[in-house]
Amino acid sequence: MQKTLEVPHTLIEQFTLGNGLRVVMNEDHSVPVVSVAVYYDVGSRNEREGRTGFAHLFEHMMFQGSENVPKAAHFQYISNAGGTMNGTTSSERTNYFETLPANQLPLALWLESDRMRSLSVTQENLDNQREAVKEEKRLRYDNQPYVNGFLRLFEMCFRNPANAHSTIGSMEDLDAASVEDIREFFRVYYAPNNAVLSIVGDFDQAETRALIDRYFSTIPRQPLPPPVDVSEPEEVTQRQDVFIDKLAPVPAFALGWKIPSRRSPEFYALSLASHLLFEGESARLYLKLVKGEESVVQIQGGIDERRGPSGLFIVVIPKPDRDGRQIRETILAEVKSLAVTGPSEEEMEKLRNNLFNSAVRSRQSSLYRAQQLAEFELYDRDPELFNTDLLNYLEVKPKQISEALRRYLDTENRVLLEILPAPQEVAAPAAPHPPGEPKQPTAPLPQVPPAPDEPAAGAPILPAQAAEPVLESS
């Protein structure tokens, strides 16, 4: 008999200002902190051809100062108040968020409202942040093995440019952007009627509503942004491709499928199927390829969740002495097996327990709740989904998983990207040095410096120690 799983109900308050700003709040006095999230309905899906990368560029621009906040002072204000903050960009939205001691809520609202009202969009700020984005691309894309290859997956899966291009965008497009282009982008997409403000934590509702009205209500609304067409043909755009990677130490490959949009019945079923196949050390593919055959160095997978057509991807780095074709056959055979026989009741029970455990644990974070409430309000205009969406996963039946797998994954309508290391350039042999009289003086006595207490300046940092950038895109 299946046991009933229930997560604590979250009380949600919501209202809309006269300028169209949607506000969602969850009052919780269990911990004296407060989290604020501002979600703007703009991501790479909103960019047109020739103007890609603007959404991510603005993630950087939003920290360049506004009428009452100097350049980069947003970081300092939050840090000095004992808080943390960040911002990210995806295909679907751009978000900014901070968590602070509860008594610092007025500071967070003032900072967010000041840049929504009066961001400093100048030629100087555009130029330096354009270079910052280029440096980010060099650091996180061009100098990392496999990453640029994996960007090809979206181009292979999706035909519509709104879905196919990467969030980082084109550096040529950014170079061609004028400050007038950027000001117009800010006017259209960073308007209050294109945003959601979410607040979760230890606050008084009446006082907070007064603060929101004081700081945000006089920001003028703007005409709605143009609608976005993310429609896609059923077929993937290109089924196979090879990417030569100068930085890849060993070959790798990725498989990708085009799947239905978030919150559709098929999406829920495929999301659970992905957990069964490659999430965690007890997943079917991990047990078979890593623990069983010991044929892969790494296998990862995930779903790119979108309001339009989404994607499911599996990325594999085989061991150097193993055949990638055989590994792909194993993966596809496991997909077919799950599609034909479906998950066992034991697997379904484990899935439900993991989903329930994850839901309960994540809700302990005020920031998680603020972000999820903002997302449901932005995408679905229904923050109450925070309390009910888990049921859509828990109620999926094994038959639905099998049907979704047969329809979307156990098919030839998929992409295969092989990533191959670039051939090593062979250096020409050095010309022999002509003989002559030795002129090198006698070597000096060895000098042994004292052992330093810490690495010298400029010493390489191991990857595990490397700090993440303050801002990151997703």
Side-chain angles (χ1 to χ4, degrees), residues 257 259 266 269-274 276-278 284 312 334-343 398-411:
W257 293 263
I259 66 172
E266 299 86 356
L270 290 170
S271 179
L272 295 189
S274 72
L276 292 170
L277 287 169
F278 48 73
R284 290 189 173 199
L312 188 151
E334 195 62 41
V335 169
K336 178 178 286 293
S337 173
L338 188 57
V340 172
T341 64
K399 182 180 178 182
Q400 293 172 273
I401 294 177
S402 296
E403 291 174 349
L405 282 167
R406 288 196 297 270
R407 174 71 178 81
Y408 294 101
L409 265 63
D410 186 22
T411 169

Side-chain angles (χ1 to χ4, degrees), residues 212-266:
I212 293 170
D213 185 70
R214 174 184 178 186
Y215 291 130
F216 288 93
S217 63
T218 58
I219 303 174
R221 68 183 299 141
Q222 299 293 332
L224 290 176
V228 180
D229 175 16
V230 292
S231 60
E232 280 282 339
E234 185 172 316
E235 290 291 316
V236 297
T237 302
Q238 182 179 347
R239 293 194 177 183
Q240 293 190 39
D241 197 10
V242 175
F243 183 86
I244 305 300
D245 190 334
K246 295 184 296 183
L247 300 176
V250 295
F253 69 85
L255 297 167
W257 293 263
K258 193 184 297 187
I259 66 172
S261 62
R262 62 182 292 278
R263 302 203 61 251
S264 63
E266 299 86 356

Side-chain angles (χ1 to χ4, degrees), residues 370-433:
Q371 291 178 314
Q372 289 295 296
L373 290 173
E375 186 172 297
F376 281 126
E377 174 60 33
L378 188 72
Y379 297 168
D380 308 290
R381 291 186 175 269
D382 186 5
E384 285 292 341
L385 286 170
F386 182 77
N387 288 316
T388 62
D389 195 49
L390 177 64
L391 294 176
N392 293 314
Y393 291 94
L394 295 175
E395 293 175 354
V396 172
K397 302 295 190 290
K399 182 180 178 182
Q400 293 172 273
I401 294 177
S402 296
E403 291 174 349
L405 282 167
R406 288 196 297 270
R407 174 71 178 81
Y408 294 101
L409 265 63
D410 186 22
T411 169
E412 296 297 319
N413 186 31
R414 62 175 179 268
V415 303
L416 165 62
L417 174 67
E418 294 189 77
I419 301 179
L420 303 179
Q424 295 294 317
E425 296 182 2
V426 180
H433 192 279

Side-chain angles (χ1 to χ4, degrees), residues 15 32 54 60 62 102 114 176 178 190 224 232 246 256 291 306 324 338 359 369 374 386 388 393-394 432 444 472:
F15 58 93
F54 278 30
H60 291 254
M62 284 288 277
D114 202 62
S178 67
Y190 277 74
L224 290 176
E232 280 282 339
K246 295 184 296 183
K291 290 188 174 180
R306 302 187 181 193
L338 188 57
R369 278 177 283 156
F386 182 77
T388 62
Y393 291 94
L394 295 175
E472 60 184 24

Side-chain angles (χ1 to χ4, degrees), residues 36-93:
V36 175
V38 181
Y39 275 55
Y40 292 91
D41 193 0
V42 57
S44 57
R45 73 202 296 261
N46 300 90
E47 299 164 353
R48 68 181 192 272
E49 292 186 84
R51 286 294 182 267
T52 63
F54 278 30
H56 175 246
L57 174 66
F58 250 88
E59 180 197 319
H60 291 254
M61 291 287 292
M62 284 288 277
F63 294 93
Q64 292 306 294
S66 47
E67 182 178 0
N68 299 292
V69 180
K71 179 182 295 189
H74 195 114
F75 300 102
Q76 297 169 4
Y77 279 122
I78 297 296
S79 178
N80 291 343
T84 60
M85 53 152 292
N86 213 328
T88 68
T89 310
S90 76
S91 64
E92 306 299 298
R93 68 5 177 208

Side-chain angles (χ1 to χ4, degrees), residues 279-291:
E279 293 287 341
E281 295 187 2
S282 63
R284 290 189 173 199
L285 291 176
Y286 188 92
L287 290 175
K288 188 171 289 288
L289 296 172
V290 179
K291 290 188 174 180

